Each structure stands twice: as structure tokens, then as C-alpha cells.
Amino acid sequence: KIEIIKENSFLEYIAGGTEINLMVAIDYTASNGDPKFTNSLHYRNPYEPNEYAKAIIAVGEILTAYDNDKMIPVYGFGAKLPNGSVSHCFPLNLVLGGSTDEVFAVRGILDAYHRSLDVLKLHGPTNFSEIVEKASSIAQGFDSNQDLQRYLILLIITDGEISDLDRTMKAIINASRLPISIVIVGVG
């Protein structure tokens, strides 16, 4: 007996009405360099976007085109927060006084990113596991049914080597059964 099994492509899922949701995570570890100096990947050059802003624009524009409502949860990792604690998974907009972890489209991501540089201190290490676990909990909470399928794309923008590789691998393996893809963009 011969059996043909067809696996749908990502575009076929989109054409079939799957709702795509984007989540962005930004690296605030000290390996990026002090944002006050021109050699920092977070330096705010008044004449051109820094490496992080370029990545947010380039990849964010492509991925937000598929996001139904363009409301994007934006998280950071590896920073010292205003209260002095170090966090490897914090909602950027809430740290900045917003009422939700979401911002609108790429412009909102860039605004939150730029404002965050005034209140966060770069720290470390470069741990991805908590971000992957947070994305997994979002994907796990999707109420998908025959009429509505939801899928999450986690975009991680980073400069560094993963410090918690074993825990991150476990988190990715656990996420592999969920409606989620992880895109990692290296800068610098």
C-alpha cells in the first residue's frame, strides 16, 4: 500500500486563514556596549538607525505584515530594571509605564525600544530560556478551533552567545509541539 502524506507549507497555513501573531524580544545585555558610546550596538545615532533598530525595521516589517491586528508584545532580556532587579524576560511597554505588553506595529516597537534605553541598564547574561518559555505560554494559551487557528512567531534580536544553552534547548524542545516558530537575528 502506498500512502501520500501532504504537509502544508507556512504560506498554505496563512492562505487557509491561520492568524499569525508576532512577539519581539530584544537583548539588553552589557555585551552590546554602553549606549552612550558610538561603538555600542544600542547607540542612538541621530543620522541613522543603530543595529537593533535596523533589525527591527528589516525583519519587523516583513513579519508584521502577517500579524492580523499588528499589536505586538515586546519583551526585553538581560537588563537591570529601574527597581534594580535583573530580568531575563520583561515586557518593555509595562516597564515604560504602559498598560499592556503590546505596542502597535514596527513604529511602536521602535518607540518602546528607543524609550527603554533611557530607563534600563544593560546587564546580562544572555539567557533566552525565559523568553522562549514566555512565548510558549502565549502560544499554549491560544484558543484554536476549526474556524480559527493561531500561530506565534517569536523574533529574538541579540548580539551574544546564549549563556543558558541547556535550559534554552529544553525550552525550544518543549515549544516544538506548540504553534510557534522562533526566529533569531544576530546583530553586530
Side-chain angles (χ1 to χ4, degrees):
K1 176 180 174 184
I2 298 175
E3 185 178 345
I4 298 174
I5 300 173
K6 181 178 180 344
E7 292 187 15
N8 293 323
S9 72
F10 182 69
L11 290 177
E12 287 170 319
Y13 278 110
I14 292 171
T18 298
E19 182 179 302
I20 303 298
N21 300 98
L22 175 63
M23 175 182 173
V24 175
I26 300 170
D27 181 345
Y28 288 90
T29 57
S31 60
N32 287 286
D34 188 331
K36 294 179 194 126
F37 299 109
T38 58
N39 63 344
S40 171
L41 296 171
H42 286 299
Y43 176 70
R44 283 187 276 181
N45 183 331
Y47 305 108
E48 66 178 324
N50 66 28
E51 296 302 313
Y52 278 86
K54 287 177 186 175
I56 290 167
I57 294 165
V59 182
E61 288 289 345
I62 294 167
L63 296 178
T64 56
Y66 296 102
D67 190 293
N68 278 5
D69 63 2
K70 311 283 187 262
M71 295 303 295
I72 315 297
V74 182
Y75 282 73
F77 60 93
K80 186 176 279 191
L81 304 179
N83 67 9
S85 67
V86 175
S87 178
H88 301 291
C89 182
F90 56 91
L92 216 50
N93 204 36
L94 292 177
V95 169
L96 297 170
S99 59
T100 176
D101 65 350
E102 295 178 319
V103 299
F104 183 73
V106 171
R107 174 78 313 191
I109 299 168
L110 285 170
D111 289 344
Y113 165 64
H114 286 126
R115 289 185 310 138
S116 71
L117 294 172
D118 294 328
V119 298
L120 300 173
K121 300 233 182 311
L122 304 187
H123 203 272
T126 307
N127 292 348
F128 285 5
S129 61
E130 289 182 47
I131 289 290
V132 174
E133 290 163 358
K134 177 63 181 176
S136 294
S137 72
I138 291 171
Q140 196 165 28
F142 287 164
D143 287 329
S144 293
N145 57 48
Q146 191 80 4
D147 298 323
L148 175 65
Q149 297 291 317
R150 296 176 72 190
Y151 194 89
L152 181 70
I153 300 173
L154 169 61
L155 169 62
I156 300 174
I157 305 173
T158 184
D159 82 319
E161 195 172 304
I162 302 171
S163 301
D164 65 338
L165 188 58
D166 289 338
R167 186 171 168 201
T168 297
M169 288 187 335
K170 286 178 187 164
I172 291 170
I173 290 166
N174 290 337
S176 67
R177 59 181 171 70
L178 298 169
I180 184 172
S181 287
I182 301 169
V183 177
I184 301 173
V185 174
V187 297

